[in-house]
Amino acid sequence: MNHARIIGTGGHLPEKVLTNADLEQRIETTAEWIVERTGVEERHIAAPGETTCDLAEHASRRALEAAGLEPSDIDLIVLGTTTPDHVFPSVATQLQHRLGCPGGPAFDVQAVCTGFVYALDIADRFIRTGAARRALVVGADTFTRIIDWRDRGTCILFGDGAGAVVLEAADKPGIIDSRLGADGRYKELLWVPAGVSSGYDQTRQNAAFVEMRGSEVFKVAVTTLKDIAEQILTANRMTVADVDWLIPHQANRRILAATAKRLGLPEGRMVDCVRTHGNTSAASVPLALDVAVRDGRIQRGDTLLLEGFGGGFTWGAVLLTY
Ligand code: UT7
């Protein structure tokens, strides 16, 4: 039992939908510009009072149901988020409490849009060492809470949501390999300048919101997503031809298309939810995975390549047999 495999997936999007036509009313933009430059047509926005833990709970219950398990079967929760309900305690501990499965370790991982991929890598290691047997791995964010709705370079891109998977110990993979990375030198290309320890700069109106140098992020994202896919495939003596489905971080349709093109992967073998989800940060990869599992595109035995990229920068790839 020294492998981990996904036995259930779940996703949840808040009810409220914000369309490009809605954004045309708020900022100087056009629906055409947004679709052409990003591929996003609409995104879901958490209601006032609806939190990251609320979204995570819905997605987790769906994943448990798909796995045919009860919450009490779970002995580890790892949750990727940048927008926790509170500074502390973590969302993971509150999720554990709501599900009613106390006792095992539960913690949040902060790797921005790579949060779920980091969480999956960590949970896989717990299972492979025997420290856990069944893990709930979640990516959940209410990223729109840290968006400056006057900034047309960011507010068009992001949405809220949560995705989850249940991992179980297995005799064979499952997760074949995973690779994580980070480079903090890129901090100011994509960040929220405010913070608990560094303080809130009252002189800067937007100090508690996401700031992004979009076109610079774009270039590093495309290069990194291509490089990490090639690295993990080469290390496992595989090629793009062996991948049934590429599930990259859903940042921007043009980033997805450029990554597929550089890898020589037909776009029909890439899961793309950008049009209706926007960029949901840590939720983007597990949400896309859940969509493609539930609509029947992803079948048992398929080889999947999951890829994350986010602020820091952070990045990661997970290669697995579904
Ligand atoms: O999740 C982490 C990873 N995040 C990403 O990967 C995001 C990566 N970046 C992007 O997705 C794109 O860079 C954006 C969608 C944010 C922007 O697209 P772009 O093609 O890189 O545009 P740009 O920033 O180079 O701006 C081009 C022009 C500018 O006007 P000028 O200076 O050329 O006159 C912008 O002011 O487009 C203007 N612009 C807009 N126009 C209409 C920027 N945002 C908008 C807008 N509507 N919403």
Side-chain angles (χ1 to χ4, degrees):
M1 289 287 193
N2 57 350
H3 296 285
R5 71 181 188 108
I6 293 175
I7 59 164
T9 68
H12 180 74
L13 293 161
E15 208 177 305
K16 183 179 162 50
V17 171
L18 186 74
T19 65
N20 290 347
D22 296 330
L23 283 169
E24 280 180 340
Q25 309 299 316
R26 291 187 178 201
I27 49 166
E28 204 184 320
T29 191
T30 62
E32 293 73 32
W33 191 97
I34 300 173
V35 171
E36 191 192 307
R37 297 294 183 105
T38 72
V40 184
E41 289 181 20
E42 57 187 37
R43 65 292 283 150
H44 292 249
I45 310 284
E50 191 175 28
T51 69
T52 296
C53 195
D54 294 330
L55 306 184
E57 182 182 355
H58 283 297
S60 299
R61 289 194 188 279
R62 288 207 179 116
L64 285 165
E65 192 185 353
L69 294 184
E70 295 299 324
S72 55
D73 295 318
I74 296 298
D75 54 12
L76 167 70
I77 299 179
V78 190
L79 185 145
T81 191
T82 304
T83 49
D85 296 25
H86 310 289
V87 172
F88 73 86
S90 66
V91 179
T93 59
Q94 298 313 292
L95 176 64
Q96 186 203 55
H97 176 62
R98 289 194 196 183
L99 295 173
C101 49
F107 55 93
D108 291 356
V109 174
Q110 215 300 33
V112 203
C113 300
T114 320
F116 175 79
V117 171
Y118 265 57
L120 191 59
D121 172 282
I122 293 164
D124 175 52
R125 291 173 198 274
F126 266 79
I127 288 179
R128 282 195 286 112
T129 59
R133 190 175 159 72
R134 290 195 185 104
L136 183 60
V137 186
V138 188
D141 265 311
T142 45
F143 217 74
T144 65
R145 295 269 158 75
I146 51 169
I147 290 299
D148 180 353
W149 290 97
R150 299 160 301 182
D151 177 7
R152 65 180 186 169
T154 52
C155 74
I156 53 164
L157 282 172
F158 294 94
D160 301 327
V165 303
V166 177
L167 272 190
E168 185 177 59
D171 290 329
K172 55 182 183 144
I175 294 179
I176 299 165
D177 195 8
S178 57
R179 307 278 162 119
L180 305 181
D183 189 340
R185 97 179 83 156
Y186 295 107
K187 169 179 156 185
E188 289 172 21
L189 292 193
L190 176 55
W191 68 323
V192 175
V196 177
S197 182
S198 59
Y200 289 75
D201 182 349
Q202 302 296 342
T203 62
R204 296 176 64 171
Q205 271 192 316
N206 61 349
F209 296 126
V210 171
E211 289 184 6
M212 179 170 75
R213 305 222 298 257
S215 56
E216 290 166 71
V217 177
F218 191 105
K219 284 177 207 142
V220 187
V222 172
T223 307
T224 306
L225 289 168
K226 172 192 172 277
D227 288 350
I228 60 175
E230 287 181 345
Q231 282 162 14
I232 197 167
L233 288 170
T234 304
N236 290 279
R237 294 188 185 80
M238 292 165 82
T239 70
V240 164
D242 297 308
V243 177
D244 295 302
W245 293 102
L246 176 69
I247 308 174
H249 170 47
Q250 312 281 303
N252 177 323
R253 170 107 256 292
R254 283 161 51 224
I255 293 181
L256 269 63
T259 303
K261 190 172 170 200
R262 287 180 184 206
L263 285 170
L265 179 109
E267 281 193 37
R269 281 177 21 222
M270 181 177 68
V271 182
D272 177 359
C273 298
V274 169
R275 188 180 71 79
T276 51
H277 293 186
N279 180 347
T280 57
S281 187
S284 95
V285 170
L287 266 172
L289 170 65
D290 183 58
V291 166
V293 165
R294 282 174 196 262
D295 70 19
R297 273 178 287 174
I298 293 177
Q299 296 288 319
R300 283 282 165 211
D302 281 355
T303 301
L304 312 185
L305 180 54
L306 278 46
E307 288 191 281
F309 179 83
F313 289 135
T314 56
W315 58 83
V318 180
L319 184 64
L320 64 98
T321 305
Y322 180 69

